[in-house]
Amino acid sequence: MSKQLLRKEAIIGYIFVAPLVFFILMFVAYPLLTLIYLSFNEKFIGSPEKFIGLDNFYQLFKEPAYIASVRNTIIFIIADVTIKLSIAFGLALILNRNFRGRSVARASLLVPWLTPIVPAVLTWHWILHRDFGILNKILLVAGIINAPIEWLGKDLALTMIIIVHVWKYFPFFTLIFLAGLQAIPTELYEVAEIDGADRLRKFRYITIPYMKNLFKTMYLLSTVWTMAEFVIIWLLTRGGPLYATHVFSTVAYVFGFYFYNLGLAAAVFTTALPVTLFLIFLVTKYMRGS
Amino acid sequence: MIFRMKLDKRVSRRGALSTAAKVAIGAGVAVAAAGGVAAYFATRPPQVIEKVVTSVVERPVERTVVTTVAGVPTTVLTTVKETETVVLSPTTPTVKKPFEVWWSMPIFDKEKELITKLSDEFAKKHGVEVKLTFFPHHELDVKMLPSLEAGTLPDVIWQVHQNYMTPLFERGALMDVSDIINDLGRDRIVKGVLDVVTMKGITYCIPHYMYAMSYLHYRKDLFAEVGYTKPPETIEEFEDALVKIQKRLPEKTWAFGLSVGEAAQYDAHLAIEQIIWVFGGKAIDENQKVVLNSPETIKAVEWIAKMWKLGTIPPASASWTAWDNNDYYQTEKIATVMNPTGSIMAWCRANKPELYKKSGTMRWPKGPAGKSYLSVGQYGFYINKATRYPDLAKEFVKSFYEKEFYFELAKTTAPYFFPIFSDMLEDPFYKGEEQLWEMASQFLDPTIEKRTTGYAGGYTAAWGETLTMNILPHMILRVVIGDWTAEDAVKEAHSRMDSIYKRYYP
């Protein structure tokens, strides 16, 4: 093929990818670079920025809300993603089997996911309320507890947030796993049965290898999404009490929109950026693999 | 490779190139056209409507009157009842860009109706398009500084949370409204209200609704049962009453409805600040120096911790939201409650008259400082300094103080809010109802010291940041659920405030 032709093809290729490149530069690279740039500047909303080097990071590591948010974010992500995906995978296995009422079960499973988030969280807030909440009422009436429990208090608030978050998002992952399970050729199971494989062996040697990459991808995607969680935490506890439920997003929101300190808010995300980028790299890798 | 194979099969390279070129040219033309249209709209001058509307309004005027006292000509500044005719057009041209007003969502339906109606009438009268938009309170809060940054601030803002407006003032975005205050009658305005909205000698807001930042409502019947037929006058008496009431209350009810958590937003902060004053402490001095860490503040914190340990404060108050203290009082789970605005009494008055009758509002008991304090708050109008219609903005604001309208609005919102004029507060409407008068009379009582939150430094942007960062509630939480000592908690809060104030006042 002549060089001229190759060059023409290359030009066509560039023309076709140009919109995508433009989109990525405009909506991904520019905000990301601005974020990093801001984190090295003193920037209050309504005032010009001033370069201050690492001062924002220095201030951040002295801020008790940020320190608490690092710990909470790690606990929140590990516990939330693990519980959510375990439940989702277990339910997908059940829903993949034939049983009466399977369609109803599949449809009702979607209810938490389809419920608009604000009313859903406000309902949870009411359920978990110490003195007006239905949960304490039931437990007290049933004689399971003697005194009302402070579900949204310092000791339990993060656990409750994890529960509400799992409740809201496990249906989505159940659907994904269900789709994955249904993509496994049934012939494989039939052949295994002929060969005398029991249920456990079929699960171990057919289901798990087939689902492995999907599981890894979902784990990483869920981690990235959970890292960005804001609404549930903000509506339930606003990061309190006493920083007990602050995560990166709530702390950054407080710094940015309560404190007006965009530089400090940007610094919160910049500290999390290496982890996020590494996770995205892994997601991309596993998605390619699957 | 895939691309080439498909290309070979479906279209010729020449065809593909030709199509791509056409698409590129088409896109270029479209972008150029869109850009041209956008540039035209962005750069064209404001369009003056050909019809010139001449609008005449009458307003009270403050005049310098030369009078003779004992035969000596003396200059006396007084407000006379004569009116001045102001022609708003054509000096205020009617332009296509609407006159824009952002308003924090009214609480009552009738209140909203009254505001909308007056705004519509104003628009008709002056031949302008008034774009009045209501926002949920916190939606409006977080719009303020970004709008300033983006240059999209409206002409007039009616705002609830002043702490979101002080940064605008400090950035020079708000108009000095002293002339409007003079027109309304500076001397008629309740003492202390203007202090809330005046910084560096400039008044940047016209207060519209007045309230106390920390009303102390109480159940008269429960206090009477423990021997307090009159409200306690000192903090010792107050504590005694709370402890006695707590002993008589059934399970899951509490004597002292004090918000202490950060989710309660301003309620907790303002309540704690009030208690610090009672004990003789304060957070800031006149020179914007943080003085929180003092024996008086430590005593106040220890007192709150003591009341917590005695079980008089609901444990859930650590995670109360801004409406939880209302809920607890309205459902009779607490015997006293501290709250900014009279929202609780307003609700009881409208929805639970039997509870309203049993309720009262006491003056803040005197502490070691020996004084009773009232933290005055306000919701009001702010005018964008960059407004294209300054005269129109002033007239718009003033129309909301027209006597008949304003009093109707005040009655509609009572006792949530009170009017800012002393003479209106003395109206039989307030005097004739015990609960209303207990609240209204506090503003007129000269024995109560009126203060602004952020005393003695004032409601500055630095104080606004302290408030939004929940520094005082955190200080209390450190002690009551974090097991810190009062000394350590106060020290930490002092240091956090100090880092904020040093940024503003290096």
Side-chain angles (χ1 to χ4, degrees):
Chain A
M1 195 176 288
S2 72
K3 274 184 182 175
Q4 198 184 7
L5 204 58
L6 276 173
R7 221 178 67 202
K8 276 181 186 172
E9 278 183 10
I11 290 168
I12 296 171
Y14 288 135
I15 289 171
F16 279 111
V17 297
L20 182 67
V21 171
F22 174 76
F23 184 85
I24 290 172
L25 287 176
M26 194 67 189
F27 298 107
V28 180
Y30 174 70
L32 194 66
L33 293 174
T34 307
L35 185 89
I36 296 168
Y37 168 76
L38 278 179
S39 63
F40 293 99
N41 282 272
E42 183 185 273
K43 167 65 184 162
F44 285 86
I45 300 175
S47 305
E49 62 259 34
K50 191 176 96 190
F51 183 76
I52 51 166
L54 294 171
D55 279 8
N56 278 331
F57 298 95
Y58 180 66
Q59 193 187 337
L60 208 57
F61 287 106
K62 283 198 306 182
E63 187 57 53
Y66 175 76
I67 304 293
S69 78
V70 175
R71 170 189 160 273
N72 294 339
T73 306
I74 293 169
I75 295 173
F76 179 50
I77 289 173
I78 294 174
D80 181 272
V81 176
T82 308
I83 296 169
K84 188 168 56 195
L85 294 194
S86 305
I87 292 174
F89 191 57
L91 279 170
L93 286 172
I94 294 168
L95 291 172
N96 196 36
R97 298 169 68 86
N98 271 325
F99 59 90
R100 189 184 272 187
R102 188 171 72 158
S103 309
V104 177
R106 280 185 183 179
S108 53
L109 182 81
L110 291 176
V111 171
W113 190 47
L114 295 178
T115 311
I117 193 156
V118 173
V121 178
L122 291 179
T123 306
W124 272 102
H125 192 275
W126 171 71
I127 291 170
L128 299 171
H129 199 287
R130 182 188 188 275
D131 298 310
F132 297 114
I134 189 96
L135 183 59
N136 271 341
K137 191 105 183 161
I138 291 170
L139 295 176
L140 282 166
V141 169
I144 297 168
I145 56 173
N146 298 322
I149 294 172
E150 187 73 68
W151 299 108
L152 295 175
K154 187 168 77 92
D155 300 329
L156 289 173
L158 190 59
T159 311
M160 290 306 117
I161 280 169
I162 291 169
I163 289 172
V164 176
H165 197 262
V166 167
W167 170 86
K168 181 80 185 109
Y169 293 109
F170 82 87
F172 171 78
F173 293 97
T174 309
L175 280 186
I176 299 286
F177 287 138
L178 193 57
L181 288 171
Q182 288 180 346
I184 301 173
T186 47
E187 294 85 354
L188 289 177
Y189 290 108
E190 286 163 11
V191 170
E193 254 173 51
I194 292 165
D195 287 347
D198 58 12
R199 195 176 286 176
L200 196 67
R201 278 169 186 271
K202 280 192 283 183
F203 180 72
R204 188 178 163 189
Y205 293 109
I206 300 172
T207 309
I208 288 183
Y210 261 87
M211 294 294 287
K212 200 171 71 183
N213 275 340
L214 181 63
F215 200 87
K216 279 181 193 166
T217 310
M218 286 303 113
Y219 201 97
L220 292 167
L221 268 182
S222 175
T223 303
V224 174
W225 291 340
T226 307
M227 242 177 134
E229 177 54 42
F230 174 79
V231 179
I232 290 177
I233 302 169
W234 194 250
L235 290 178
L236 275 181
T237 61
R238 287 179 181 259
L242 212 56
Y243 318 119
T245 55
H246 260 315
V247 293
F248 286 151
S249 56
T250 53
V251 149
Y253 182 80
V254 168
F255 290 158
F257 288 96
Y258 277 29
F259 215 61
Y260 312 126
N261 191 339
L262 289 186
L264 198 61
V268 173
F269 287 119
T270 305
T271 57
L273 206 57
V275 181
T276 317
L277 289 178
F278 179 65
L279 288 171
I280 291 168
F281 164 74
L282 287 181
V283 172
T284 323
K285 191 181 155 198
Y286 285 122
M287 279 172 86
R288 221 172 19 226
S290 62
Chain B
M1 286 296 122
I2 292 168
F3 171 71
R4 213 177 71 212
M5 279 161 61
K6 281 186 180 169
L7 202 66
D8 287 343
K9 278 182 188 171
R10 291 177 188 170
V11 288
S12 68
R13 288 186 186 96
R14 181 186 289 272
L17 267 175
S18 160
T19 310
K22 282 173 191 166
V23 168
I25 291 165
V29 170
V31 167
V37 172
Y40 169 73
F41 280 106
T43 55
R44 71 174 181 162
Q47 298 292 295
V48 178
I49 294 173
E50 282 182 12
K51 188 179 77 171
V52 175
V53 181
T54 304
S55 179
V56 178
V57 293
E58 289 187 338
R59 63 183 185 192
V61 189
E62 190 173 19
R63 295 207 183 286
T64 306
V65 178
V66 179
T67 184
T68 305
V69 179
V72 182
T74 311
T75 304
V76 178
L77 188 68
T78 179
T79 304
V80 291
K81 281 184 180 175
E82 66 184 89
T83 55
E84 180 186 65
T85 302
V86 182
V87 181
L88 290 174
S89 283
T91 48
T92 307
T94 311
V95 295
K96 274 189 177 173
K97 185 184 182 299
F99 176 71
E100 206 174 354
V101 181
W102 288 354
W103 199 293
S104 276
M105 190 63 79
I107 309 292
F108 305 93
D109 291 342
K110 195 184 166 193
E111 178 194 4
K112 192 177 175 187
E113 267 171 41
L114 286 169
I115 293 162
T116 311
K117 196 176 154 208
L118 189 75
S119 171
D120 291 346
E121 282 171 7
F122 181 87
K124 216 178 275 176
K125 189 174 173 184
H126 296 290
V128 287
E129 185 193 345
V130 177
K131 194 177 166 196
L132 172 68
T133 315
F134 295 105
F135 291 93
H137 296 184
H138 293 288
E139 290 292 316
L140 189 58
D141 292 345
V142 294
K143 273 174 83 72
M144 290 293 98
L145 271 175
S147 302
L148 174 64
E149 180 104 319
T152 55
L153 272 183
D155 301 287
V156 173
I157 305 152
W158 190 95
Q159 171 60 304
V160 164
H161 296 132
Q162 199 179 325
N163 48 323
Y164 288 90
M165 301 309 290
T166 45
L168 264 66
F169 169 74
E170 298 215 340
R171 285 163 173 81
L174 300 176
M175 189 187 279
D176 181 349
V177 292
S178 303
D179 55 340
I180 302 179
I181 301 287
N182 289 337
D183 286 351
L184 294 175
R186 189 176 285 272
D187 295 341
R188 291 173 62 209
I189 298 173
V190 169
K191 198 173 176 291
V193 186
L194 291 176
D195 295 340
V196 184
V197 291
T198 304
M199 276 202 294
K200 301 167 189 167
I202 297 170
T203 305
Y204 61 92
C205 168
I206 309 109
H208 196 214
Y209 290 178
M210 181 179 68
Y211 62 90
M213 293 282 206
S214 255
Y215 281 120
L216 183 52
H217 306 304
Y218 71 113
R219 285 278 300 275
K220 288 180 172 176
D221 56 331
L222 298 177
F223 273 72
E225 280 174 22
V226 295
Y228 286 92
T229 47
K230 282 184 179 173
E233 288 195 359
T234 64
I235 199 78
E236 290 80 14
E237 285 178 9
F238 184 55
E239 180 184 323
D240 177 60
L242 293 179
V243 173
K244 283 177 179 164
I245 290 170
Q246 189 60 48
K247 281 182 187 157
R248 296 166 67 95
L249 287 174
E251 242 184 80
K252 286 182 76 180
T253 44
W254 296 270
F256 193 20
L258 173 70
S259 298
V260 293
E262 62 262 76
Q265 298 161 335
Y266 316 112
D267 295 24
H269 197 106
L270 297 168
I272 295 160
E273 185 188 25
Q274 177 85 39
I275 295 172
I276 292 172
W277 290 349
V278 169
F279 280 84
K282 61 185 174 192
I284 308 295
D285 73 5
E286 299 79 357
N287 303 314
Q288 307 300 342
K289 194 174 165 236
V290 179
V291 289
L292 183 72
N293 192 358
S294 67
E296 290 82 10
T297 307
I298 292 168
K299 268 184 199 159
V301 175
E302 283 172 344
W303 184 77
I304 295 171
K306 180 180 164 191
M307 300 316 290
W308 178 277
K309 276 188 187 150
L310 287 170
T312 61
I313 301 172
S317 68
S319 50
W320 270 4
T321 59
W323 58 83
D324 271 320
N325 58 337
N326 297 48
D327 281 350
Y328 274 67
Y329 191 82
Q330 289 158 200
T331 52
E332 304 185 38
K333 284 187 176 296
I334 44 181
T336 58
V337 65
M338 291 176 72
N339 195 47
T341 80
S343 60
I344 292 174
M345 292 298 270
W347 185 90
C348 293
R349 189 170 185 256
N351 302 291
K352 214 169 175 178
E354 70 282 5
L355 178 60
Y356 184 66
K357 273 181 206 155
K358 290 189 283 189
S359 301
T361 305
M362 68 171 86
R363 265 93 166 130
W364 254 96
K366 293 169 187 165
K371 270 187 180 174
S372 187
Y373 301 101
L374 183 75
S375 181
V376 182
Q378 64 81 35
Y379 295 171
F381 291 99
Y382 302 81
I383 301 178
N384 181 359
K385 206 185 221 174
T387 175
R388 293 162 68 190
Y389 319 113
D391 291 341
L392 203 61
K394 288 178 184 177
E395 287 310 317
F396 179 81
V397 170
K398 280 195 273 185
S399 67
F400 282 84
Y401 294 86
E402 188 276 318
K403 194 176 176 186
E404 207 173 299
F405 170 84
Y406 188 37
F407 198 43
E408 194 183 350
L409 193 65
K411 284 197 281 188
T412 303
T413 56
Y416 210 126
F417 308 108
F418 291 93
I420 60 164
F421 300 123
S422 315
D423 48 294
M424 274 192 185
L425 281 178
E426 303 231 36
D427 189 274
F429 172 75
Y430 297 109
K431 277 190 165 170
E433 194 174 306
E434 194 184 342
Q435 284 79 1
L436 289 184
W437 186 239
E438 279 173 353
M439 296 168 82
S441 61
Q442 296 201 28
F443 296 100
L444 302 172
D445 187 343
T447 65
I448 300 176
E449 186 178 321
K450 316 293 183 302
R451 283 185 173 180
T452 306
T453 181
Y455 177 85
Y459 205 150
T460 58
W463 181 251
E465 201 172 311
T466 305
L467 219 152
T468 44
M469 288 304 284
N470 281 309
I471 290 178
L472 296 186
H474 277 140
M475 176 178 76
I476 300 301
L477 287 175
R478 286 285 196 208
V479 179
V480 297
I481 62 171
D483 296 329
W484 282 33
T485 63
E487 285 85 355
D488 287 347
V490 173
K491 201 173 158 191
E492 185 203 47
H494 180 103
S495 145
R496 292 187 68 201
M497 276 184 65
D498 207 34
S499 65
I500 293 174
Y501 270 75
K502 273 189 179 146
R503 267 204 344 266
Y504 287 89
Y505 308 100

